[in-house]
Amino acid sequence: REACAPIPTPSLNDKVVLVDRGDCYFTAKVRNAQSRGAYAVVVANDQSGLPVAMGVPSSEAAADLHIGAVMISKADGAALRAALADGEQVMVTLQQPGDRPTSLSDGLPQFGSVAHGSFKFYRFRVGAAHRDVTFTITPTLGDPDLYITASATPPTQTHYDREASHVGGDSVTFHPGDDDFCTDCVYTVGVYGWTNAE
């Protein structure tokens, strides 16, 4: 229930894991669930009242985490546990706040849409590996453009490190040795809707 140690279940592929708050850092709980293939983690507060913001001991402690995690109240956690104990199927939807960039995972595509004249932002954390980093958008509709900064600062149409604004799909590659190539850092990707695009 606490997930402070490796979870004995061999596979949690595409499951949302419900754990209790307490006894270890949130990052340990999420890492243990992620290592078993979990899609996300729901942490039930162990104290009455509203959920609290889940902090991390350092930015490095969360660098390898790429699944979502949220906290719910103790009462909501108890209700979910009761429903699961009764054999009910519980569906969970996690929604990213609109003003917060979506985290990208290496090799996993993201699907979405962007309105004409607006940006949708993504973040990609790069570790110490020294290999090409490529960002590609392949629209099924419309014309999105790609703007990227090699930092946590969101790009604009006039402030960016790299851009690709061709009609249709766009791609940008950062190579080791490039002035704006970075390791142990964050790239912020802005997809701009030249037209409404998906």
Side-chain angles (χ1 to χ4, degrees), residues 91-159:
M91 302 296 289
V92 175
T93 301
L94 303 180
Q95 186 170 347
Q96 183 84 7
D99 62 344
R100 192 170 182 189
T102 300
S103 293
L104 297 174
S105 295
D106 193 13
L108 296 177
Q110 283 285 331
F111 302 94
S113 60
V114 61
H116 166 69
S118 65
F119 272 97
K120 179 154 176 77
F121 294 105
Y122 300 87
R123 291 250 167 92
F124 182 67
R125 182 171 293 282
V126 177
H130 296 281
R131 60 185 175 97
D132 288 354
V133 177
T134 300
F135 300 97
T136 302
I137 50 175
T138 308
T140 57
L141 173 72
D143 184 18
D145 293 332
L146 195 56
Y147 295 87
I148 303 171
T149 56
S151 71
T153 303
T156 67
Q157 286 184 286
T158 57
H159 173 77

